[in-house]
Amino acid sequence: MTIVTRFAPSPTGMLHIGGARTALFNALLAKRHKGTFLLRVEDTDKARSTEEAAQAILEGLGWLGLTPDEAPTFQSENAERHVECALEMIERGKAFKCYATPEELQARRDAGEAKRAEAKADGLSDDAKASLLAEANALLAPYRSPWRDGAAAPRTDAPFTVRLRAPDDGQITVNDGVQGEVSIQTREIDDLILLRADGTPTYMLAVVVDDHDMGVTHVLRGDDHFRNTYRQIPIYQAMEWELPEFAHVPLIHGQDGAKLSKRHGALSTLAYRDMGYLPEAMNAYLLRLGWSHGDQEIFSMDEATEVFDISGLNKAPARLDLEKLGDVNAHFMRAASHERLKALLLPEIAKLTDVTDALESRLDSALPTLKERGTTLLEMAEACRFLWDSNADNLNKKARKALSGDKLTILSDLREALDQSESLGIEAVEAIIDSYCAAHTLSMGQVGPPLRAALTGGLPAPDLAPVIAWLGRDEVLARIDRHLPA
Ligand code: GLU
């Protein structure tokens, strides 16, 4: 059997990270089995769906490299087919026209609520209370239409909805890849509306028809859809279609254990891009957020493709942990090739300063060391600041102290020594500083601070020798001269 999976977002907002994770799982499951990963945009709710949201979802998926194997489909384009299936279910005796009006349905609910309220009144006998509650429960129970057994229309031109005739009795069982086997009583299911009074198909019908028509073999989605499965299975059965495998993954929770919401931080996938996370880090992090394989923490997409399986999906909700995401991102920034990391970093640096050729060549020398710094591209760009900024106008107390009194003599001596050296490579600079310390019986703790303060003004930076080597002679001398008397 060729595996076909799908991601079926509703274009009513951004691609949030929960959706991205669902897409990732589906893409990996298909890849693992050399199957097909499809994307279906569920845009049937015209009032809430927007073209921009659909674009944002595609952009988010594109950023993560989760592009589907075929062009995306749009659910609204299949409406005719949905209607056709509903009519076929009528033919098969599995669905029927229901003439109950919205007003009648509302009146039924209101009557149920009224009975329930009546049952709470003081002074009722237990029997009276029980019988009122029984009436209330019958009125509030999942709706079984009086037309389900083929009663005639009230008038020939009466408007109708098309409803699925809910299974009469017994249980509906979902055999879920994550949740296991879970059943409910069929009486918990109403006669589900398939076509509204205006003839438009409902979401529940559209999902099943599309999944079937697209040949979807595995429906892997968030467990907010778990209960829908009980309503979707009878549609498959009515059409005599084979059921797909279902797997419902628990939603992502915040650090506090509550379901993820905006207050837990930025949730749009693209916001993470803008915060300076790498797509491969995002994938690796989202993968482990709800799935595990042994105790391996970090997977490349290739590694994940080798081993991803439904049995590794966790039953318990995972908690979003931004610190861990930072660690994973740091890992992938270190692992990225120089060219790629530089290409990702330069736009971030360009937000802080003009990127000159000189700066770019400093970055070429420094990046192999500086890529160890920071957990996002933004932090890494900040860690590079000393490459273009001597911070001379912004010295902190410690730097000011290091550039005062007789410490300036040390600075001036070192300037001369550096200026006279043919090479300012890392080793040459180390040798200059060491021999200066030895000749003046000074320690590195005495010699280093004025030089560091002049060069980087208290900004975080690695060892002095590499800093000098990366900045280059002209820049080093210019930075020192700013602090020496003319
Ligand atoms: N369109 C639904 C959503 O965005 C998903 C439906 C499904 O996966 O079956 O929540």
Side-chain angles (χ1 to χ4, degrees), residues 6 8-10 42 203 207 221 224-225:
R6 52 51 161 198
S10 304
E42 301 208 313
Y203 166 73
V207 170
R221 59 190 173 192
D224 48 336
H225 287 283

Side-chain angles (χ1 to χ4, degrees), residues 140-159:
L140 295 171
Y143 182 65
R144 295 299 170 96
S145 163
W147 285 276
R148 67 197 313 263
D149 293 318
R155 323 185 295 273
T156 45
D157 63 345

Side-chain angles (χ1 to χ4, degrees), residues 186-449:
T186 47
R187 63 173 173 274
E188 293 178 49
I189 297 286
D190 61 358
D191 286 340
L192 173 75
I193 297 185
L194 300 172
L195 298 182
R196 299 183 190 91
D198 64 4
T200 57
T202 56
Y203 166 73
M204 218 57 85
L205 171 65
V207 170
V208 172
V209 172
D210 287 351
D211 279 341
H212 170 266
D213 287 359
M214 290 161 76
V216 171
T217 59
H218 288 70
V219 170
L220 202 174
R221 59 190 173 192
D223 72 2
D224 48 336
H225 287 283
F226 187 79
R227 290 197 64 82
N228 286 345
T229 313
Y230 293 118
R231 316 182 82 208
Q232 292 169 359
I233 286 176
I235 302 179
Y236 283 97
Q237 291 167 338
M239 292 300 290
E240 290 179 30
W241 287 337
E242 204 178 317
L243 288 182
E245 304 281 335
F246 289 102
H248 289 88
V249 281
L251 301 186
I252 302 173
H253 286 199
Q255 272 295 320
D256 54 3
K259 265 186 200 154
L260 209 54
S261 68
K262 286 217 174 78
R263 74 193 157 80
H264 291 106
L267 300 173
S268 137
T269 307
L270 291 173
Y272 286 88
R273 175 192 66 186
D274 299 342
M275 286 188 279
Y277 294 96
L278 268 51
E280 62 267 43
M282 212 61 210
N283 280 331
Y285 178 71
L286 290 176
L287 174 65
R288 286 286 289 105
L289 200 61
W291 177 83
S292 51
H293 180 75
D295 50 16
Q296 187 170 340
E297 282 294 342
I298 294 183
F299 292 81
S300 68
M301 280 297 265
D302 285 345
E303 286 172 323
T305 302
E306 294 283 305
V307 293
F308 183 80
D309 55 357
I310 288 182
S311 62
L313 292 169
N314 303 334
K315 234 176 159 157
R319 292 187 183 199
L320 185 70
D321 179 349
L322 290 176
E323 203 172 311
K324 184 140 174 240
L325 172 60
D327 291 345
V328 174
N329 199 49
H331 168 92
F332 282 99
M333 288 196 300
R334 286 194 297 271
S337 73
H338 177 80
E339 287 313 318
R340 172 142 188 271
L341 186 58
K342 188 176 147 192
L344 289 167
L345 196 58
L346 279 177
E348 297 307 329
I349 292 180
K351 290 179 196 159
L352 306 172
T353 189
D354 282 344
V355 179
T356 59
D357 288 350
L359 174 54
E360 220 181 301
S361 88
R362 282 174 211 161
L363 194 63
D364 278 330
S365 334
L367 197 51
T369 303
L370 295 181
K371 73 178 181 181
E372 305 283 336
R373 304 199 163 200
T375 59
T376 64
L377 293 168
L378 272 65
E379 287 178 15
M380 194 179 283
E382 268 305 328
C384 293
R385 182 177 282 276
F386 71 92
L387 292 176
W388 67 85
D389 186 355
S390 71
N391 211 29
D393 300 324
N394 201 16
L395 296 183
N396 60 18
K397 208 167 153 198
K398 194 169 148 211
R400 278 203 305 275
K401 213 172 139 213
L403 288 168
S404 63
D406 56 1
K407 303 201 188 64
L408 288 181
T409 316
I410 296 177
L411 186 61
S412 159
D413 290 351
L414 284 171
R415 186 207 186 280
E416 285 321 301
L418 290 168
D419 193 16
Q420 273 158 35
S421 173
E422 211 163 289
S423 157
L424 285 190
I426 295 180
E427 281 172 23
V429 173
E430 276 169 353
I432 292 168
I433 298 175
D434 284 349
S435 63
Y436 181 79
C437 287
H440 296 79
T441 49
L442 289 167
S443 71
M444 193 56 198
Q446 293 165 299
V447 170

